[in-house]
């Protein structure tokens, strides 16, 4: 597969049929699909990431390491990786799934995780497969770590805003959201505003309600940034 060479993965005598299975979504109705490899990939991903973090920054406390790993193995991170790797063109999907624009990120994340499981098995499993997965994903994790160091609240602005508002104001943020466009997959489908003490602090748009709320929280954090110092 040309994809493997692009990723720096050099097949030797491996049976690569597992890679095809990983990229066959269950929506096709085929008996051999991504699901079993996704289950394996979940475990491999978490262990490989734990080993990566130990090498990346061995001084990290356990709590910090756990929080960072949560970001680096999340469905959101997997969906972003699938998009970066352009997996959509390689994934077999059933007609209903293929027509569901809103489901594409989830499908990408699922098959990306299955691909990790397949690579682990194809390259030796416990006899070297974990090393291959870690080395393959390390540059992607390094890029994400740098982004998180630049913005510790990256993609989790709601949680950061909630922590601040409880400590500083003694109350939780109040989100008011509305659907502005019924089209699934529209990046501005939902509009959200966040209030603190009945005062508007931020607003945002997103393809899902939670995304719009995250953007509103991000805007609010930017507004209160001087108070966070």
């Amino acid at each position: 597969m040309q994809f493997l060479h692009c990723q720096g993965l050099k097949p030797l005598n491996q049976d690569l049929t597992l890679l095809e299975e990983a990229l066959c979504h269950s929506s096709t109705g085929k008996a051999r699909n991504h699901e079993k490899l996704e289950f394996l990939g979940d475990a491999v991903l978490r262990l490989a990431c734990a080993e990566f973090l130990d090498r990346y920054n061995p001084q990290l406390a356990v709590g910090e390491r756990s929080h960072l790993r949560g970001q680096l193995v999340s469905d959101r991170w997997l969906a972003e990786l699938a998009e970066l790797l352009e997996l959509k063109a390689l994934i077999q999907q059933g007609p209903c799934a293929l027509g569901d624009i809103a489901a594409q990120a989830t499908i990408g994340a699922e098959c990306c995780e299955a691909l990790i499981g397949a690579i682990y098995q194809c390259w030796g499993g416990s006899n070297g497969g974990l090393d291959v997965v870690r080395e393959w994903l390390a540059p992607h994790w390094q890029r994400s770590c740098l982004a998180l160091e630049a913005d510790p609240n990256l993609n989790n602005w709601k949680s950061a805003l909630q922590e601040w508002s409880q400590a500083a104001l003694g109350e939780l943020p109040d989100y008011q959201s509305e659907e502005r466009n019924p089209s699934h997959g529209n990046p501005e489908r939902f509009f959200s505003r966040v209030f603190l003490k009945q005062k508007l602090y931020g607003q945002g748009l997103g393809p899902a309600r939670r995304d719009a709320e995250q953007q509103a929280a991000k805007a609010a954090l930017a507004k209160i940034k001087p108070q966070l110092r």
Side-chain angles (χ1 to χ4, degrees):
M1 293 175 68
Q2 184 179 1
F3 168 79
L4 296 177
H5 292 287
C6 292
Q7 299 305 312
L9 296 166
K10 299 178 181 179
L12 298 174
N13 298 316
Q14 292 96 336
D15 178 2
L16 301 180
T17 55
L18 282 178
L19 300 183
E20 297 178 6
E21 184 176 323
L23 297 174
C24 179
H25 193 257
S26 56
S27 60
T28 61
K30 295 181 180 180
R32 293 179 64 87
N33 58 57
H34 80 286
E35 291 182 328
K36 288 183 179 179
L37 288 168
E38 181 190 2
F39 180 79
L40 173 63
D42 176 67
V44 172
L45 177 67
R46 296 177 72 83
L47 180 54
C49 187
E51 290 191 352
F52 162 80
L53 289 173
D54 190 51
R55 297 184 181 194
Y56 179 78
N57 188 350
Q59 305 306 318
L60 278 175
V62 173
E64 294 174 318
R65 194 171 300 199
S66 178
H67 174 73
L68 186 53
R69 186 180 67 172
Q71 295 268 28
L72 299 179
V73 302
S74 67
D75 289 343
R76 181 189 61 252
W77 188 87
L78 285 164
E80 291 172 353
L81 179 61
E83 186 175 356
L84 181 66
L85 300 178
E86 298 182 343
L87 286 189
K88 183 178 180 181
L90 302 175
I91 297 174
Q92 297 180 55
Q93 300 183 48
C96 290
L98 197 57
D100 188 349
I101 298 175
Q104 292 307 300
T106 299
I107 291 172
E110 291 173 350
C111 287
C112 189
E113 198 163 43
L115 183 63
I116 290 168
I119 290 172
Y120 169 78
Q121 283 200 331
C122 288
W123 267 262
S126 59
N127 295 318
L130 186 64
D131 292 336
V132 171
V133 169
R134 188 185 62 247
E135 291 171 11
W136 171 46
L137 295 178
H140 302 292
W141 279 327
Q142 287 173 346
R143 184 181 59 253
S144 296
C145 284
L146 289 173
L148 286 164
E149 287 169 6
D151 182 358
N153 302 316
L154 187 63
N155 299 315
N156 199 20
W157 298 291
K158 283 185 67 177
S159 177
L161 181 62
Q162 178 174 310
E163 289 179 10
W164 178 84
S165 66
Q166 284 183 303
L169 304 177
E171 69 172 40
L172 295 174
D174 175 28
Y175 293 91
Q176 298 181 13
S177 304
E178 62 183 51
E179 186 179 35
R180 287 193 163 182
N181 190 314
S183 175
H184 289 280
N186 187 303
E188 297 184 353
R189 182 181 176 189
F190 285 91
F191 173 70
S192 180
R193 296 182 295 171
V194 60
F195 295 84
L196 293 165
K197 295 290 185 182
Q198 299 183 332
K199 179 181 177 182
L200 177 64
Y201 266 70
Q203 55 191 38
L205 297 162
R209 189 182 304 275
R210 63 179 178 274
D211 296 316
E213 290 177 351
Q214 285 283 8
Q215 293 303 314
K218 181 182 180 181
L221 285 170
K223 185 174 182 178
I224 65 175
K225 191 173 183 179
Q227 301 176 53
L228 298 176
R229 294 172 180 171

